[in-house]
């Protein structure tokens, strides 16, 4: 893993947007005062990849990612690993309740040749390349695949933070062994063993299937194929023989069909001639037409007589006059009698109405006079009430007066004070006024009622007078109308005579309609009889036309019965002539059928000799059966040939599966034991310790060498007679030198030892340079320069040692103000 660019915003001390560009920084140093944020840059790299930082104490310390008072922190790391370029992004937010959670995480595989500077344009995550992970849970597996190291091993081999520089040196043998397995990619041998075992199982399963196929194809032998070929040849010979015999069969069948056709034609002629019969009731139909025509003539005479009688009565009725005028004159006589009878009644009604009008008028006038008196009494009561009020006020003043006082009203001296009344005059006047008002209201209501009755009586009188005058006017009109007219008795007698004529006219009309109906029925009978006769002729013509091919004799169109008799006699003679010819035709049919049977038997014999049954025996079926049999024989032979080839291929596949299974099973058996991996780890550890010892000798001036035994690290102290002691007995500075030697050796030699992409393309050291003396520091600097000069590793330092920083070509100076930390690149 090689970092290329790091973007931070709101991350711990980096409150503002900060970018660290590692492009072309093969050897760099992060320098700055203590607490300025140098180690935070390495924290950001770890956080972008794994979501945690060593000094946070695990994922629960994620709240440390936010800058003070910041609500969101964003970290984005662009890095290369095994030739591919990736972008890792993490976003942390604080919610309204103060809880800090990861709000977003993603890993993208960038397209080849992507310009990292485009990140400054604010591109979305979707624009950065193919998404490998989009959630924190997906990030763990995606980063492990991209980097090749889990979090614990990454912080032991790539980014070595403060306090954990000696983890690899002091790790337990099992932990150190697992780190080397991941770094060297030795798990590939486990994958090889697993795949070999799977291939062995697959080969066994496939072998079982192939064995079943071979068992199912055991009948597909060369002998079976030869037998099928011989059967196919026989069937083809049968097809040729049948095709050669079929023309004779077809000729025999044609001759038989021709003879049968001749016989059937004679049978049809016999049937047609034998069917000629005289229709039943033929003689009666001819007499029915004549009788119907005679009845129709008699009905026509009856109609004429009835019509003449009707016209005679109609003339008499017309001469008698207009019955409508007679009825009008009679109605006027009747109306005059009624009007004379009603005249006295109308006069009496008018007299009664006049009396009622005078009575109601007098009652209304009396009620009005009573109402006027009541109003006068009411007005007097109102005046009395006002006088009573005056008296009561004077009485109220008496209570304050004494004889000899001045009157407050007239200002005269009061000689004697009158006695005060026991009861109020106003109350008495008010009672009297209420009585007067009630009587006035009652009188007014009675007057209005009587006045309304009088007006109604006047209206009724006028109405009855109008009716009486109208009655007299109508009486005069009717008397004038009937002047000069016959009397009512004469008019009634003449109307009776005209009614009798009208009844006779209706009876004459009924007789005319009955005669006409009889005539229509007689005409219908004539038409029906004539239609039956025409139907009989059409039937005769149909029968004769059906015999036209036999040349029947001509028919007399005036004698239907004679025409039928002549036709029936002729048909009987023709039928007798054809009976003898029919026997000869039947004999010819039997002879032709025997020839057909012999031809069919000859073809069936061909099938029988070939051992093939025959279901249908017509020529087309025989030819088709022979062709189908040959096709089936060829298909069976072809299937057998194909199955023989399948059997051969299955035998070859079984041999190949047996070989592949033995190889896979043997390889899985060899790799199943841990000896191979253990040997590889021991060889890798030997090489690692040899390289670390060489570097440690240079760093310590030849005092120390490293060695291992049973997975544990020891140092040999050449300044103490080659004493061997554990690495945990080293001082702090010596521990740093030994750890640095291991880290540098691991970075140098991993590429040659690893089998996978988990290569250490960079190493960043954040530990202990201030504990070294000048000479050792010079040796460390030279060692790091040589490692960086090889060009296949990025080497980074975190230090505040000025002498060491000055020797690094690229420096990232970190400083912090009151708001945020800043990073500035100095050098190449």
């Amino acid at each position: 893993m090689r970092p290329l660019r790091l973007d931070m915003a709101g991350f711990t001390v980096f409150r503002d947007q900060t970018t660290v560009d590692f492009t072309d920084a093969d050897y760099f140093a992060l320098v700055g005062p203590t607490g300025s944020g140098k180690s935070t840059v390495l924290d950001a790299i770890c956080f972008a990849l794994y979501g945690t930082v060593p000094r946070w104490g695990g994922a629960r310390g994620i709240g440390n990612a936010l800058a003070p008072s910041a609500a969101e922190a964003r970290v984005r790391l662009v890095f290369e690993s095994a030739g591919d370029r990736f972008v890792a992004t993490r976003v942390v937010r604080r919610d309204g309740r103060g809880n800090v959670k990861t709000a977003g995480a993603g890993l993208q595989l960038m397209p080849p040749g992507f310009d990292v500077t485009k990140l400054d344009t604010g591109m979305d995550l979707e624009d950065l390349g193919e998404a490998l992970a989009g959630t924190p849970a997906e990030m763990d597996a995606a980063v492990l695949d991209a980097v090749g190291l889990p979090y614990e091993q990454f912080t032991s081999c790539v980014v070595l933070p403060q306090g954990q520089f000696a983890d690899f040196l002091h790790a337990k043998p099992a932990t150190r062994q697992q780190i080397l397995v991941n770094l060297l990619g030795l798990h590939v041998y486990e994958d090889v063993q697993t795949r070999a075992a799977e291939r062995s199982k697959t080969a066994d399963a496939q072998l079982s299937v192939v064995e079943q196929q071979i068992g199912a194809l055991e009948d597909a032998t060369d002998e079976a194929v030869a037998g099928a070929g011989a059967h196919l040849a026989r069937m083809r010979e049968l097809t040729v023989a049948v095709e050669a015999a079929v023309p004779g069969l077809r000729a025999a069948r044609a001759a038989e069909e021709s003879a049968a056709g001749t016989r059937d034609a004679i049978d049809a002629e016999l049937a047609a001639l034998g069917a000629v019969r005289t229709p039943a009731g033929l003689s009666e139909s001819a007499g029915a037409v004549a009788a119907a025509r005679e009845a129709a003539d008699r009905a026509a005479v009856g109609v004429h007589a009835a019509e003449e009688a009707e016209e005679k009565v109609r003339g008499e009725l017309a001469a008698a006059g207009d019955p409508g005028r007679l009825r009008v004159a009679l109605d006027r006589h009747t109306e005059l009698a009624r009007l004379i009878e009603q005249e006295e009644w109308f006069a009496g009604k008018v007299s009664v109405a006049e009396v009622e009008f005078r009575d109601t008028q007098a009652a209304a006038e009396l009620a009005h006079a009573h109402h006027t008196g009541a109003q006068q009494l009411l007005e007097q009561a109102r005046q009395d009430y006002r006088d009573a009020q005056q008296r009561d006020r004077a009485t109220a003043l008496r209570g304050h007066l004494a004889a000899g006082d001045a009157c407050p009203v007239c200002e005269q001296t009061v000689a004697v004070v009158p006695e005060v009344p026991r009861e109020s005059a106003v109350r008495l006047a008010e009672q009297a006024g209420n009585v007067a008002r009630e009587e006035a209201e009652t009188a007014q209501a009675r007057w209005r009622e009587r006045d309304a009755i009088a007006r109604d009586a006047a209206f009724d009188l006028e109405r009855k007078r109008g009716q009486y005058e109208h009655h007299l006017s109508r009486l005069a009109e009717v008397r004038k109308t009937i002047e000069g007219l016959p009397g009512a008795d004469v008019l009634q007698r003449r109307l009776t005579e005209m009614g009798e004529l009208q009844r006779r006219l209706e009876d004459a009309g009924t007789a005319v309609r009955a005669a006409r109906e009889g005539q229509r029925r007689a005409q219908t009978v004539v038409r029906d009889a004539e239609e039956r006769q025409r139907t009989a002729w059409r039937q005769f013509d149909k029968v004769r036309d059906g015999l036209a091919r036999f040349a029947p004799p001509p028919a007399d169109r005036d004698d239907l019965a004679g025409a039928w008799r002549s036709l029936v006699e002729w048909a009987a003679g023709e039928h007798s002539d054809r009976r003898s010819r029919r026997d000869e035709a039947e004999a010819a049919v039997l002879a032709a059928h025997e020839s057909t049977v012999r031809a069919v038997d000859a073809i069936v014999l061909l099938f029988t000799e070939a051992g093939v049954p025959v279901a249908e025996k017509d020529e087309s079926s025989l030819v088709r059966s022979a062709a189908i049999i040959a096709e089936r024989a060829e298909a069976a032979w072809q299937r057998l040939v194909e199955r023989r080839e399948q059997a051969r291929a299955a035998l070859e596949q079984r041999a190949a599966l047996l070989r592949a299974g033995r190889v896979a099973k043997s390889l899985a058996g060899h790799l199943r034991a841990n000896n191979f991996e253990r040997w590889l780890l021991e060889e890798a550890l030997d090489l690692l310790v040899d390289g670390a010892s060489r570097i440690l000798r240079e760093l310590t001036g030849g005092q120390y060498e490293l060695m291992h035994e049973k997975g544990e690290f020891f140092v040999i102290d050449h300044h103490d007679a080659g004493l061997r002691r554990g690495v945990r007995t080293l001082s702090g500075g010596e521990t740093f030198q030994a750890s640095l030697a291991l880290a540098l050796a691991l970075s140098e030699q991993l590429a040659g030892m690893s089998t996978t992409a988990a290569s250490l393309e960079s190493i960043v050291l954040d530990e202990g340079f201030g504990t070294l003396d000048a000479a050792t520091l010079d040796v460390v600097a030279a060692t790091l320069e040589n490692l960086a000069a090889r060009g296949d590793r990025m080497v980074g330092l975190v230090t505040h040692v000025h002498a060491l920083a000055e020797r690094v070509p690229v420096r990232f100076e970190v400083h912090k103000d009151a708001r945020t930390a800043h990073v500035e690149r100095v050098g190449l």
Side-chain angles (χ1 to χ4, degrees):
M1 195 285 295
R2 183 186 183 102
L4 298 177
R5 174 183 171 126
L6 177 66
D7 295 298
M8 300 171 288
F11 184 73
T12 67
V13 297
F14 292 96
R15 181 189 300 272
D16 295 340
Q17 176 70 36
T18 303
T19 299
V20 182
D21 188 358
F22 294 103
T23 306
D24 299 328
D26 294 333
Y27 186 25
F28 68 89
L30 290 165
V31 299
T34 301
S36 60
K38 301 185 297 299
S39 297
T40 302
V41 176
L42 303 187
D43 292 344
I45 294 176
C46 291
F47 178 72
L49 293 173
Y50 299 100
T52 186
V53 173
R55 54 180 174 170
W56 289 356
R60 293 184 178 179
I62 193 173
N64 298 317
L66 287 172
S69 72
E72 180 181 273
R74 291 178 174 269
V75 178
R76 180 171 60 197
L77 175 66
V78 181
F79 65 94
E80 286 184 351
S81 181
D84 292 324
R85 185 170 291 184
F86 303 87
V87 179
T89 306
R90 288 187 188 267
V91 180
V92 176
R93 291 194 182 99
R94 179 184 287 113
D95 60 20
R97 293 180 293 180
N99 299 322
V100 179
K101 297 181 181 179
T102 300
L107 181 68
Q108 280 81 29
L109 174 63
M110 301 177 70
F114 183 84
D115 187 2
V116 180
T117 59
K118 291 183 178 179
L119 297 175
D120 296 328
T121 61
M123 299 176 63
D124 294 333
L125 293 179
E126 292 78 4
D127 300 329
L128 298 180
E130 177 187 356
L132 304 179
T135 63
E138 296 175 351
M139 282 285 286
D140 295 339
V143 170
L144 182 60
D145 291 340
V147 177
L149 293 172
Y151 167 71
E152 294 79 5
Q153 298 170 17
F154 181 81
T155 56
S156 298
C157 302
V158 179
V159 175
L160 283 70
Q162 294 180 2
Q164 298 185 9
F165 193 67
D167 282 354
F168 187 77
L169 179 67
H170 294 157
K172 294 180 180 181
T175 302
R176 189 182 299 114
Q177 177 177 334
Q178 187 59 43
I179 292 174
L180 289 176
V181 168
N182 288 335
L183 291 176
L184 299 176
L186 298 184
H187 54 77
V188 68
Y189 298 107
E190 296 179 3
D191 294 341
V192 171
Q193 189 273 334
T194 301
R195 293 185 182 182
E198 292 176 353
R199 288 190 179 183
S200 176
K201 293 179 181 179
T202 302
D204 291 341
Q206 293 177 347
L207 185 61
S208 176
V209 174
V210 171
E211 291 288 356
Q212 294 178 1
Q213 293 177 351
I214 292 174
L217 297 171
E218 62 183 359
D219 60 330
T221 62
D222 293 340
E223 293 77 8
V225 172
H231 179 68
L232 174 60
R234 290 195 301 273
M235 295 303 101
R236 287 176 176 172
E237 292 175 357
L238 172 63
T239 301
V240 173
V242 170
E243 291 176 351
V246 162
L249 174 60
R250 288 176 178 168
R253 285 193 186 278
E256 181 180 0
E257 291 174 358
S258 177
T262 301
R263 180 200 60 193
D264 295 341
I266 294 175
D267 287 340
E269 292 177 356
L270 289 173
L273 293 171
V276 179
R277 297 285 188 277
T278 301
L282 182 63
S283 58
E284 291 81 358
S285 63
V289 172
R293 287 175 179 173
E294 184 178 351
D297 293 340
R298 290 195 299 272
V301 172
V303 168
H304 180 71
E307 288 175 348
E308 287 182 349
E310 181 186 23
E311 286 299 323
K312 180 180 179 182
V313 175
R314 193 183 304 277
E316 293 176 359
L317 182 61
D322 185 4
R325 294 180 61 184
L326 295 177
R327 289 191 187 94
V328 170
L330 182 61
D331 290 342
R332 296 290 81 79
H333 280 287
T334 303
E335 184 180 4
L336 178 62
R338 179 177 57 80
L339 291 175
I340 292 172
E341 181 182 357
Q342 291 178 347
E343 181 180 4
E344 185 178 355
W345 180 83
F346 276 108
K349 286 290 184 180
V350 171
S351 299
V352 172
E354 289 175 347
V355 172
E356 290 178 352
F357 171 71
R358 286 193 296 271
D359 293 342
T360 56
Q361 187 70 24
E365 291 174 355
L366 180 60
H368 182 265
H370 186 268
H371 171 255
T372 303
Q375 287 293 329
Q376 292 174 355
L377 292 175
L378 177 61
E379 187 62 31
Q380 183 62 42
R382 290 172 179 170
Q383 183 61 40
D384 293 343
Y385 180 76
R386 289 191 292 272
D387 295 343
Q389 286 180 329
Q390 185 69 24
R391 287 195 299 273
D392 279 356
R393 284 194 292 271
T395 301
L397 295 175
R398 293 175 187 175
H400 305 286
L401 292 177
D405 293 340
C407 178
V409 178
C410 63
E411 297 182 354
Q412 295 179 4
T413 302
V414 178
V416 179
V417 177
E419 184 180 356
V420 177
R422 294 181 179 181
E423 191 171 359
S424 173
V426 171
R427 184 169 64 253
L428 294 175
E430 184 177 1
Q431 292 176 354
N434 290 336
V435 172
R437 184 173 57 256
E438 291 176 357
E439 290 180 355
E441 290 175 353
T442 302
Q444 184 180 14
R446 187 180 298 110
W447 170 59
R448 289 178 178 175
E449 180 183 0
R450 295 289 187 266
D451 186 64
I453 294 173
R455 286 196 300 272
D456 292 342
F459 176 77
D460 184 61
L461 176 60
E462 292 299 325
R463 181 174 61 80
K464 289 180 178 179
R465 284 176 177 174
Q467 291 176 350
Y468 182 54
E469 291 175 357
H470 176 74
H471 178 79
L472 294 177
S473 175
R474 179 60 183 166
L475 180 60
E477 290 178 0
V478 172
R479 283 175 174 170
K480 184 177 181 180
T481 301
I482 63 175
E483 289 180 359
L485 292 179
D489 295 338
V490 176
L491 292 173
Q492 184 63 45
R493 185 172 59 255
R494 291 175 62 182
L495 284 174
T496 302
E497 293 174 353
M498 293 184 68
E500 179 63 21
L501 289 174
Q502 182 66 34
R503 183 188 61 75
R504 288 171 56 196
L505 178 62
E506 292 175 356
D507 291 343
T510 301
V512 170
R513 288 193 293 274
R516 289 175 178 172
E517 180 63 25
Q519 183 183 22
R520 282 195 293 272
R521 288 198 297 270
Q523 291 174 347
T524 301
V525 172
V526 171
R527 287 194 295 271
D528 293 342
E530 291 175 347
E531 180 60 28
R532 285 195 297 273
Q533 189 175 38
R534 286 193 293 271
T535 301
W537 275 112
R538 285 195 294 271
Q539 182 180 3
F540 173 81
D541 292 338
K542 181 178 179 181
V543 172
R544 188 177 184 283
D545 291 342
L547 303 175
R549 62 182 181 278
F550 305 131
D556 184 2
R557 303 304 293 183
D558 296 330
D559 185 4
L560 179 61
W564 268 108
R565 186 169 51 257
S566 174
L567 183 63
V568 169
E569 293 174 354
W570 170 83
E574 292 292 326
H575 187 275
S576 178
D577 293 342
R578 285 170 173 73
R579 284 300 309 172
S580 59
R581 291 165 53 192
R582 202 272 178 193
D583 295 338
E584 296 174 358
E586 182 64 28
V589 170
L590 292 176
H593 179 68
E594 291 177 358
S595 299
T596 302
V597 170
R598 287 193 296 272
V600 171
D601 291 342
I603 296 177
V604 171
L605 181 62
L606 295 175
F607 281 92
T608 303
E609 291 175 350
V612 179
V614 178
E616 299 180 7
K617 296 182 179 181
D618 60 277
E619 59 271 17
S620 59
S621 298
L622 292 171
V623 174
R624 185 168 59 255
S625 297
I628 291 174
I629 291 170
E631 290 175 359
R632 290 176 179 174
E634 184 175 4
W637 172 77
Q638 187 65 37
R639 283 197 303 272
L640 202 56
V641 170
E642 293 174 355
R643 286 166 57 81
R644 182 183 62 183
E645 296 301 323
Q646 292 174 1
R648 291 175 179 175
L651 291 173
E652 294 176 358
Q653 187 178 7
R654 180 176 63 179
L657 288 173
L658 288 172
R659 291 192 300 272
R662 285 195 295 269
V663 172
K665 190 175 297 183
S666 176
L667 180 58
H670 290 310
L671 294 179
R672 186 175 294 114
N674 294 328
N675 294 333
F676 184 71
E677 182 177 310
R678 187 180 302 112
W679 175 81
L680 289 175
L681 287 173
E682 289 177 355
E683 289 294 318
L685 195 56
D686 288 342
L687 292 174
L688 179 62
V689 171
D690 288 345
S693 293
R694 176 179 54 79
I695 297 173
L696 184 59
R697 283 195 303 269
E698 294 178 2
L699 295 176
T700 61
Q703 179 179 359
Y704 292 116
E705 287 186 1
L706 272 175
M707 65 166 293
H708 72 95
E709 182 177 320
K710 297 181 180 179
E712 295 289 351
F713 283 155
F714 299 91
V715 293
I716 299 175
D717 189 353
H718 291 290
H719 289 182
D720 194 6
L723 178 65
R724 188 182 78 170
R725 55 193 175 95
V727 294
R728 295 185 180 274
T729 64
L730 296 174
S731 65
E734 292 170 341
T735 297
F736 172 76
Q737 291 173 334
S739 299
L740 179 60
L742 274 174
L744 296 178
L746 189 63
S747 179
E748 286 181 348
Q749 300 182 21
L750 183 62
M753 295 186 294
S754 177
T755 61
T756 67
S759 57
L760 300 183
E761 299 174 273
S762 60
I763 182 171
V764 183
L765 308 176
D766 184 11
E767 183 83 32
F769 295 105
T771 64
L772 304 178
D773 56 32
T776 303
L777 185 62
D778 184 67
V779 174
V780 169
T783 302
L784 295 175
E785 289 171 355
N786 291 335
L787 180 62
R790 293 170 54 180
D792 56 352
R793 297 288 184 276
M794 171 186 278
V795 179
L797 309 175
V798 178
T799 184
H800 54 270
V801 178
H802 182 70
L804 180 59
E806 288 295 327
R807 298 181 61 171
V808 179
V810 178
R811 296 185 300 280
F812 294 98
E813 296 181 355
V814 183
H815 59 89
K816 185 171 67 172
D817 55 25
R819 171 176 174 78
T820 184
H822 304 275
V823 179
E824 182 180 359
R825 178 169 175 166
V826 179
L828 299 177

